Amino acid sequence: WWRAASAPTLTSVAVLRFENAADDETLEYLSLALPDEMATLLTKSQGLAVRPFGYVDGDDPLASARARRVDHIVTGRYYLEDDQQLTLAIEAQHVPQERVIWRTRITTPAGDLLAMRGRIAQGVRQGLLPGLGARAVGSSGPTPAHDEAYQLYLRSLALPQQPTSTDRAIEMLERAVILEPTFAP
């Protein structure tokens, strides 16, 4: 009884693949890269169990999350506006009650993914974590500062897990490390 009573309960959360709302082929890599950033930021908090990517089926996320006993899901969609602004809409839902607990909309210049990352991190810290009943623990580690290195990193995340694609991803990551060695860890 004592172990069960003193064991901390973790809130589970799954981040789903983001929707490329404009079907812009040049931005398709963001459908995996942006949720990966969200999941990485969430793992650096206390009280959360972040489920692996693909843990919840994207076709019927609420039913899948319920079946897998996931407390919250995070979904998103992004699109490029006519004025070359990249807009990202993210929301978190409480699965048992099927209600939105947090949402945000972020718009940055399309070529400035570092600004997008910064705004996502701010939204997670100030809105999503409190909505999930969690809190950030310490520093979130090194922050990327070189835009090209960060874009290479994001593009490498989205390459399929096949030998030729893996070789290409390794090349991209090696180039990113050369451009920004402090972010490599």
Side-chain angles (χ1 to χ4, degrees):
W1 174 85
W2 182 80
R3 274 190 218 140
S6 64
T9 57
L10 297 177
T11 300
S12 61
V13 61
V15 182
L16 281 65
R17 180 185 192 117
F18 286 4
E19 178 190 352
N20 182 352
D23 287 327
D24 187 331
E25 193 73 24
T26 62
L27 299 176
E28 187 59 33
Y29 72 100
L30 294 175
S31 68
L32 294 170
L34 293 174
D36 183 77
E37 281 294 314
M38 292 285 302
T40 299
L41 290 165
L42 291 171
T43 60
K44 296 174 181 171
S45 63
Q46 193 172 45
L48 290 181
V50 180
R51 299 296 179 225
F53 195 71
Y55 190 77
V56 171
D57 180 23
D59 292 334
D60 189 355
L62 285 172
S64 178
R66 196 174 297 107
R68 306 289 309 250
R69 297 180 186 212
V70 173
D71 301 315
H72 298 89
I73 58 172
V74 177
T75 59
R77 56 193 323 241
Y78 60 92
Y79 54 92
L80 190 61
E81 295 183 31
D82 292 334
D83 59 353
Q84 294 303 303
Q85 297 287 309
L86 181 63
T87 297
L88 171 63
I90 313 167
E91 74 176 27
Q93 288 184 318
H94 183 253
V95 173
Q97 295 178 352
E98 294 188 23
R99 71 178 175 89
V100 174
I101 61 160
W102 173 81
R103 77 170 38 122
T104 191
R105 182 173 175 215
I106 299 168
T107 301
T108 60
D112 194 354
L113 292 177
L114 288 174
M116 177 68 72
R117 182 187 189 277
R119 300 274 310 277
I120 290 170
Q122 179 183 15
V124 167
R125 275 190 317 274
Q126 295 176 354
L128 181 55
L129 287 176
L132 295 170
R135 63 182 177 87
V137 178
S139 170
S140 63
T143 301
H146 193 283
D147 191 57
E148 182 184 353
Y150 184 61
Q151 286 190 31
L152 286 167
Y153 165 73
L154 291 178
R155 289 180 186 276
S156 73
L157 292 174
L159 290 174
Q161 301 296 319
Q162 299 171 0
T164 56
S165 297
T166 301
D167 291 342
R168 177 71 182 125
I170 290 170
E171 290 172 15
M172 295 169 95
L173 291 170
E174 287 173 340
R175 175 79 178 132
V177 169
I178 290 168
L179 293 171
E180 188 173 357
T182 58
F183 183 61

